[in-house]
Amino acid sequence: MTDTSFVRHDMLPEQAPPATSVGLLGWLRKNLFSGWVNSILTVISLGFIAYALAGLLPWVFQSVWVADSLKECREIMAATWGETHGHACWGVIRERWLQLMFGFYPPEMYWRPILAFVLLLAAIAPVLFPGAPRQLLYVTAIYPFLLPWLMWGGTIWGPVLVAAGLAIGYLVHRFLKPIIGGLFALIAAVAAALIWWLFLVGPISGALSSALPIGIESVISRNFGGFMLSILIGVVAIGVSLPIGIVLALGRQSDLLIVKALCVGFIEFIRGVPLITLLFVASTLLNIFLPPGTNFDIILRVIIMVTLFASAYMAEVIRGGLAALPRGQYEGADSLGLDYWQAQRLIIMPQALKISIPGIVSTFIGVFKDTVLVMIIGLMDPLGLATAIRADAAWNGIYWELFAFIAFLFFIFCFSMSRYSMYLERRLRTDHS
Amino acid sequence: MKKSVILGALTVAGLAAGAANAATVDDITARGKLNCGVSTGLVGFAAPDAAGIWDGFDVAVCRAVAAAVLGDPMAVEFVPTTGKTRFTALASGEVDMLARNTTWTFSRDVDLKFTFIGVNYYDGQGFMVPKDLGISSATELDGATVCIQTGTTTELNLADFFRSNNISYEPVPIETNAEAQQQYLAGACDVYTTDASGLAATRATFEAPGDHVLLPEIISKEPLGPLVRHGDDAWGDIVRWTLNALITAEELGVTSANVAEMASAAGNNPEINRLLGTEGNLGEMLGLNSDWAVGVISTSGNYGEIFEKNIGEATPIGLARGLNAQWTDGGLIYSPPFR
């Protein structure tokens, strides 16, 4: 009886995994054909995608770019591809894309909105990306005053004096605080700034501009249009609604009865009313009730309404973030001896805003897309211009091409915002999972 | 119509506020620009070109008025208005006049407190059907699905027509004309109904216009004209007689080509002389220059020239003069005499 038991002394070398579980084949098997139900679904989906692309790609790419009217487009299509349907006539975009971008803004001044847009990117870069040079924050600081001047033109003294109002408020606060205390100094500062803006800026700016006329040609609001208008309304509404929304959200959680009642009333009223109603109020009702001859700029009215609308939603999104913070964070802040504003700035808001990022960005995207509603009140946003372009006898009857172009541009903006929000979430992630 | 009641109430409020500024023409001269309310875009009637210059049948009226008052047909600020904002824009003073193919109706004239200063286009609601339906009259449309724009008088006219003929229909409500074209071509409805001028313009854009027919019935009266606010008759007179000057010029054979020559010296037709200011003082009575009508006519020609250039048979829209021929040719276009 010999002992035939066998004990292996060394490890077997690793073998390559079977060909069906690695590489392309493995990926396909794991993700697309991992069972007969999934296989069927994959085949059906692929078939559907192929069907959709078979219709869409020829429409997009077998298309006419050089034509001056829909009729000419159709003649070229018939000559090139015979009597088949389904070719886009991009000639309308080629002829009108500048109009879809800038509306009726004077062409020799296109550099102004373009410059405003480039500066916008420079101004938001230090806010959005930690790697951006900090010097750009100066651009951020002056941008709110630069934007209206570049867009509407006119004398440079208007924006300069409006900015001076902030300095006046600050100085009043600084000098009065030791004398009459913080709260009264704040009230006095706000009052001083308001008096400055409402009563003094107009005459002083008039006097300065007649003494030292520095300025650029002004452009009236009626000439604004296209994507420029959408971006203008969207950017201002987005930029202003976030701080207002934060203040409203804090006000809603405040222990002060009047502050809380005002905030709740504002938020619930605005959220209870459709945006279109607010736009109609801006365009028609205000016209009726303001004294005749008042020149309250229509775009300014619309921007104010859209901003208020966005702020109310923003406040609720941020309140969601505040509510999600554990109570211990508030108590921890208190136990460190921080006052209310320090606690908000250092402990509460950074966390609450981080939680709210997806909600905030989706509100931004929603506001940006809502700007096309201004077409209802006769402003020439991209959709309004599409109507106007179709009214040209040369392009009457064109439909999908305009919508496709507009949708494409909106997609670029909204998709960028969405990707940025995901980047931000990744960057700010502090948990360990 | 409920909407008109609300609008009416708003308008009254607006007029109470706006009664103070009476002399519209002074405002316009001070401003140097005429604010003219037009459509946001309607084929042949008002549309901006690639350079943003507005053109069209309604636009020509605005330009003519600007030529009369300011001497410059390009001194017009066009304010695009929608069907919903047009009346408040006029009532609140945002625009000085409205030339936005607006139907002259009793309630708009009386209740909304506007003055329609005349008719520049006689329209009526018609029907378009695909030829292969084999229908030759609107009374055969029993049970049809009808594409119709919401919130317009066409909707009410349609209900009246089908009720009085005791036949049924199924409405497919649609917001804009462009959308209606797509729905109709996609077969979502058997019939498309809107103003006959709009139908003709729409059919002209189809790939195969011959496959669609316009039915002979015209089921409503749509006299379209420019309008101004109540309360400033002097301004209303200027707009009214500007339109009349265009119409009279066609009747008397004054065109953009020969107006300069005719105005250079008094001719042997006294009415032409009075119109062009070589005789009498009609311009002064309006508070304008004596040769105001010369500017009006040389802008884009007389009524007939404007019609042919924007919506006439040579254009893609291809409308015949029909009711809009001069009264001397059996149409309804008729101006009171310049005397």
Side-chain angles (χ1 to χ4, degrees), chain A residues 87-397:
Chain A
H87 303 287
C89 176
W90 298 116
V92 65
I93 306 297
R94 193 183 61 95
E95 188 186 296
R96 298 295 186 114
W97 70 276
L98 278 173
Q99 202 169 53
L100 282 167
M101 287 292 176
F102 297 101
F104 303 139
Y105 209 84
E108 67 276 11
M109 294 179 216
Y110 279 167
W111 63 271
R112 279 161 48 178
I114 293 171
L115 179 65
F117 187 70
V118 171
L119 285 177
L120 170 72
L121 298 181
I124 58 175
V127 182
L128 299 187
F129 301 104
R134 293 291 100 185
Q135 288 84 351
L136 283 177
L137 278 172
Y138 292 112
V139 181
T140 316
I142 59 167
Y143 191 74
F145 307 100
L146 204 56
L147 172 72
W149 184 61
L150 276 177
M151 297 300 286
W152 276 277
T155 167
I156 197 170
W157 296 112
V160 168
L161 291 175
V162 169
L166 289 179
I168 288 175
Y170 172 74
L171 289 177
V172 167
H173 183 252
R174 177 107 185 251
F175 286 116
L176 287 186
K177 196 173 174 188
I179 307 173
I180 56 173
L183 181 63
F184 287 106
L186 187 66
I187 293 172
V190 170
L194 281 181
I195 290 171
W196 170 260
W197 283 326
L198 292 180
F199 301 109
L200 296 176
V201 165
I204 295 180
S205 135
L208 274 177
S209 59
S210 57
L212 199 61
I214 305 176
I216 46 180
E217 201 175 327
S218 43
V219 179
I220 59 162
S221 287
R222 280 286 162 208
N223 288 340
F224 283 46
F227 267 91
M228 193 187 79
L229 180 63
S230 289
I231 294 173
L232 178 68
I233 298 176
V235 163
V236 177
I238 286 172
V240 179
S241 68
L242 185 61
I244 298 185
I246 292 175
V247 171
L248 283 173
L250 291 177
R252 193 168 185 166
Q253 297 208 321
S254 166
D255 298 330
L256 304 167
L257 181 67
I258 294 180
V259 171
K260 183 172 181 172
L262 280 177
C263 290
V264 172
F266 176 85
I267 292 170
E268 294 305 331
F269 172 73
I270 297 282
R271 291 208 311 160
V273 177
L275 180 56
I276 292 196
T277 316
L278 293 177
L279 291 178
F280 270 121
V281 168
S283 94
T284 57
L285 213 60
L286 282 182
N287 258 348
I288 298 280
F289 291 123
L290 290 172
T294 316
N295 190 12
F296 189 6
D297 193 272
I298 176 75
I299 291 182
L300 192 59
R301 283 184 270 172
V302 166
I303 286 179
I304 291 173
M305 286 301 181
V306 175
T307 305
L308 295 182
F309 187 78
S311 308
Y313 279 87
M314 193 59 68
E316 287 300 277
V317 169
I318 292 169
R319 192 170 66 95
L322 290 172
L325 271 195
R327 180 115 201 100
Q329 297 291 329
Y330 293 88
E331 288 165 354
D334 288 344
S335 68
L336 286 172
L338 301 178
D339 71 13
Y340 179 78
W341 292 110
Q342 284 173 327
Q344 292 298 342
R345 187 162 55 85
L346 298 172
I347 300 206
I348 310 298
M349 271 304 150
Q351 300 184 70
L353 288 180
K354 193 186 88 184
I355 298 172
S356 320
I357 287 170
I360 291 175
V361 174
S362 58
T363 310
F364 284 170
I365 292 176
V367 168
F368 184 57
K369 288 190 293 183
D370 281 351
T371 56
V372 295
L373 287 176
V374 300
M375 131 186 219
I376 308 272
I377 56 169
L379 287 185
M380 286 296 184
D381 80 303
L383 287 187
L385 277 170
T387 312
I389 290 169
R390 265 184 226 117
D392 188 329
W395 299 115
N396 187 16

Side-chain angles (χ1 to χ4, degrees), chain B residues 168-251:
Chain B
S168 68
Y169 71 104
E170 194 184 321
V172 180
I174 280 166
E175 183 62 27
T176 66
N177 184 48
E179 197 191 337
Q181 292 181 19
Q182 297 298 316
Q183 296 280 16
Y184 173 77
L185 284 177
C189 46
D190 305 323
V191 192
Y192 178 35
T193 178
T194 186
D195 287 349
S197 62
L199 285 181
T202 300
R203 187 173 69 159
T205 70
F206 290 171
E207 287 198 77
D211 293 350
H212 304 270
V213 288
L214 303 185
L215 298 180
E217 281 87 354
I218 297 293
I219 63 167
S220 71
K221 290 189 286 189
E222 309 279 350
L224 310 177
L227 53 156
V228 297
R229 282 182 294 279
H230 267 188
D232 188 353
D233 291 344
W235 169 238
D237 285 343
I238 291 174
V239 183
R240 173 178 300 113
W241 286 94
T242 303
L243 178 61
N244 284 340
L246 294 173
I247 294 171
T248 305
E250 186 189 15
E251 186 185 336

Side-chain angles (χ1 to χ4, degrees), chain B residues 241 270-271 274-275 282 285 336-339:
Chain B
W241 286 94
E271 184 154 19
R274 285 193 296 271
L275 174 69
L282 295 184
M285 293 182 199
F338 274 72
R339 179 170 290 281

